Amino acid sequence: MKKSLLALAVVAVAASANAATVYEKDGTSLGINGRIQSVFYSNNHNKAAENDSSIQNSARFGLQGKTQLADWVAGIGYAQWDMDSNGAGNGTKAREQYVGADFGEYGVLTAGKFRDASYYVENVTDHYEDAAGTVQGNFNGARRAGQLMYTYDNYGFHGQLGIQTAQDNAPVFANDKGAIAPFNANTFDVDSGFSSALGYKTGDVVFGPLDFRAGYSYLKGQKDGDALAKAGVDFDNFKHADAGISWGNLSSGLYFAALYDYAKMKGIGFTAANGFADNSFKVKGFELSGGYAFDNGVSFLIGYESAKYTLAQQGADEQTFKVKRIPVFVNYKANANFNVWTEFGFNAGSDHAPEGQTIAKKIDHTVFSVGARYTF
């Protein structure tokens, strides 16, 4: 069955359930989407002050356009911004930005800033708010500029192939669960790279479709003029592989998903002049998730997540620690535009930080949140 690749791309990158068309004439259309939300976070989320509980507000706004260039191709454009909503003075920041060509059933070509192809795999378990993402939470927020991506999604098959061009201060690895020295930065000067993903979704099997996915990404660091190398950090290369499977539908009935993630960054840390060389940082692990969506708009997810972090420094003992968490998410979708939720994250046997390292309190403490969101 044919699918609108533009619609798929917009849903994937905008994370918005709806888009309102504000202009449409002679094959040209303009739409808007976004969200406004308020969330109460428990103290161990460490969102404000010294581990105090806090209500945090955020907003997001996007514009999408399409114009028919010929019978077989349309020009497309999309931009989305996160708004400065807490008075911190950070200003409005671009979240997604791309232009491209929609060839209908033959695929979509985009150029700009977005997640790379490996996120297509991670998406099978990325359905919580803030208490999950023990493994994929390190990577799924990395929206890099300078990418060229081809996406094909039709007849049950999904394929993506992307090229990364040179970018300074590009997000690579978020280190979401703690600060592992000397890995104290998540942006690096990238020379080049690529990303890829393959998938296949069956028809309904018992209660829903089976969806198989796999992806791989590679980034090469700049050798000369790396701004972080000047500050004592060197980036050689980054490799990221993942595989996922899901069964069912998130919006109706049973849903089960499993994800395996592996990533390694080589050549990070202090330079040889400062006493270290040939360093590497890697994380590998899995996430399991299962839940049910009722017809009345209530749905829930519960999962189990385990990740192992390893830091290797030349001339020093290898340091490792494990993160094990249980996320629980309950959501009520009042209608297509408004939902409320509560979420918990429980420690399931995480290690304490290695000597000389620090980790976020949400690793080995219980966290919870309550939120409300309006989307358009």
Side-chain angles (χ1 to χ4, degrees):
M1 182 177 65
K2 288 185 179 181
K3 300 178 181 178
S4 169
L5 290 169
L6 175 61
L8 287 169
V10 168
V11 169
V13 298
S16 178
N18 305 286
T21 300
V22 296
Y23 175 84
E24 187 169 14
K25 183 179 181 181
D26 299 330
T28 296
S29 63
L30 177 67
I32 62 172
N33 58 32
R35 74 182 195 189
I36 305 167
Q37 68 179 33
S38 290
V39 186
F40 171 83
Y41 291 100
S42 64
N43 61 324
N44 288 327
H45 274 289
N46 202 28
K47 293 288 187 179
E50 186 64 27
N51 298 314
D52 290 339
S53 299
S54 174
I55 292 178
Q56 298 284 311
N57 303 317
S58 64
R60 187 170 291 164
F61 179 75
L63 292 172
Q64 61 189 66
K66 180 178 182 180
T67 184
Q68 203 66 36
L69 304 176
D71 291 340
W72 51 275
V73 61
I76 60 175
Y78 184 76
Q80 187 183 67
W81 300 267
D82 280 325
M83 318 301 287
D84 178 20
S85 53
N86 61 4
N90 295 323
T92 299
K93 294 183 179 180
R95 188 171 184 263
E96 309 274 354
Q97 288 180 334
Y98 63 81
V99 296
D102 184 349
F103 299 98
E105 63 181 303
Y106 299 107
V108 172
L109 184 66
T110 54
K113 179 182 181 181
F114 38 77
R115 294 178 171 117
D116 69 21
S118 62
Y119 178 71
Y120 167 72
V121 182
E122 295 178 328
N123 182 248
V124 297
T125 58
D126 187 21
H127 304 299
Y128 300 87
E129 291 291 330
D130 302 283
T134 296
V135 189
Q136 45 88 10
N138 293 288
F139 322 113
N140 66 27
R143 292 170 169 84
R144 288 186 299 275
Q147 294 191 79
L148 181 68
M149 182 78 69
Y150 172 75
T151 302
Y152 175 86
D153 198 318
N154 215 349
Y155 306 107
F157 291 95
H158 181 98
Q160 284 182 269
L161 182 62
I163 297 173
Q164 175 70 60
T165 63
Q167 295 289 308
D168 290 343
N169 298 316
V172 174
F173 194 115
N175 192 20
D176 180 64
K177 298 306 176 185
I180 308 303
F183 182 61
N184 54 7
N186 62 5
T187 60
F188 296 85
D189 288 355
V190 174
D191 177 79
S192 58
F194 69 90
S195 65
S196 59
L198 288 173
Y200 179 73
K201 179 182 286 189
T202 70
D204 284 351
V205 178
V206 186
F207 58 83
L210 284 166
D211 197 344
F212 304 91
R213 307 182 182 191
Y216 182 80
S217 301
Y218 175 84
L219 294 174
K220 178 183 178 182
Q222 295 181 18
K223 300 303 180 184
D224 299 313
D226 190 325
L228 288 175
K230 299 172 186 176
V233 181
D234 189 22
F235 167 45
D236 185 16
N237 62 63
F238 173 74
K239 301 175 182 179
H240 180 202
D242 50 9
I245 182 173
S246 66
W247 187 13
N249 295 290
L250 271 171
S251 58
S252 176
L254 286 167
Y255 181 81
F256 298 102
L259 171 73
Y260 176 80
D261 235 327
Y262 172 88
K264 182 176 182 179
M265 181 173 283
K266 182 180 178 182
I268 64 171
F270 294 102
T271 61
N274 290 329
F276 293 106
D278 298 329
N279 302 326
S280 68
F281 180 84
K282 64 182 178 181
V283 58
K284 63 179 179 179
F286 65 89
E287 297 180 1
L288 306 175
S289 184
Y292 192 88
F294 297 92
D295 293 337
N296 62 3
V298 175
S299 62
F300 72 89
L301 285 172
I302 184 170
Y304 178 78
E305 305 179 344
S306 177
K308 181 180 179 181
Y309 290 71
T310 303
L311 174 65
Q313 296 176 316
Q314 183 173 320
D317 293 336
E318 186 176 86
Q319 293 180 313
T320 65
F321 79 96
K322 295 181 179 180
V323 176
K324 299 179 180 180
R325 303 285 295 172
I326 296 176
V328 179
F329 178 69
V330 180
N331 182 67
Y332 173 58
K333 187 175 182 179
N335 56 36
N337 300 97
F338 194 81
N339 70 294
V340 294
W341 72 89
T342 185
E343 185 179 50
F344 290 83
F346 301 98
N347 181 21
S350 300
D351 293 338
H352 294 294
E355 184 178 354
Q357 311 293 347
T358 59
I359 61 173
K361 286 190 68 177
K362 60 183 177 179
I363 293 302
D364 54 3
H365 291 71
T366 297
V367 297
F368 73 90
S369 61
V370 179
R373 174 183 297 138
Y374 178 82
T375 61
F376 60 92

